[in-house]
Amino acid sequence: MSVPPESVIPPPPSDPTPPAPPEPPISPLGSPTAEERQWAMFAHLSALLGGLLTGTVGGWGCFVGPLIIWLVKKDTMPFVNDQGKESLNFNITVGIACLVLLLLSILTLGIGLIIAIPLWVIIGIAWLVLTIIAGIKANEGTAYRYPFTLRLVK
């Protein structure tokens, strides 16, 4: 009786249990996950969408997007909680500034428009630029702080 060559010997049976699926990414040392970064970016950029959609009535919709995202994600995603509050506070601050300029124009019977119109343009450009910068920074995982912001939502 002869021994079969090694090439004819079947391989040993493999383990019948499949490998475990990979675990979802966990934030090491507090760094946000890709999903957290994406939602934080949405919190900032949703203000632009809200402002564009309600631009004919003063742009008051810029509060709605950050508010909804913050309320929905604040308990499950700490980075979105932080950035959502930051975006909401900034948009509230810009709204207050624009309202003060509007009241100034009304109370001075239009004389305040000389001051208000250039300030509205400056505020609008700053709002656009800072919101885009905040969205980019949030997508990079960096907690962004807007300048000149009242921290009303804690």
Side-chain angles (χ1 to χ4, degrees):
M1 179 169 230
S2 68
V3 177
E6 289 182 25
S7 61
V8 180
I9 299 176
S14 62
D15 189 16
T17 58
E23 293 292 323
I26 299 173
S27 303
L29 301 175
S31 64
T33 64
E35 185 181 9
E36 285 180 302
R37 292 192 319 261
Q38 184 178 24
W39 278 107
M41 178 185 69
F42 290 157
H44 290 289
L45 297 183
S46 65
L48 293 178
L49 180 63
L52 286 174
L53 292 176
T54 60
T56 59
V57 290
W60 294 103
C62 63
F63 306 109
V64 176
L67 178 63
I68 290 172
I69 291 173
W70 176 64
L71 288 174
V72 170
K73 298 291 183 180
K74 70 179 181 177
D75 295 327
T76 58
M77 298 181 173
F79 186 65
V80 179
N81 179 30
D82 176 59
Q83 292 301 292
K85 283 191 292 192
E86 187 67 19
S87 178
L88 189 58
N89 282 327
F90 176 68
N91 285 289
I92 290 171
T93 303
V94 169
I96 290 171
C98 289
L99 185 63
V100 167
L101 289 174
L102 178 65
L103 291 175
L104 173 72
S105 298
I106 293 171
L107 293 176
T108 60
L109 302 175
I111 297 172
L113 283 175
I114 296 169
I115 297 170
I117 289 175
L119 286 177
W120 274 324
V121 170
I122 291 169
I123 290 171
I125 292 170
W127 174 75
L128 178 67
V129 170
L130 290 174
T131 301
I132 292 171
I133 290 171
I136 292 170
K137 291 292 187 183
N139 196 34
E140 293 172 352
T142 304
Y144 184 75
R145 294 288 175 252
Y146 290 98
F148 312 112
T149 300
L150 301 173
R151 309 279 185 241
L152 301 173
V153 179
K154 303 271 181 198

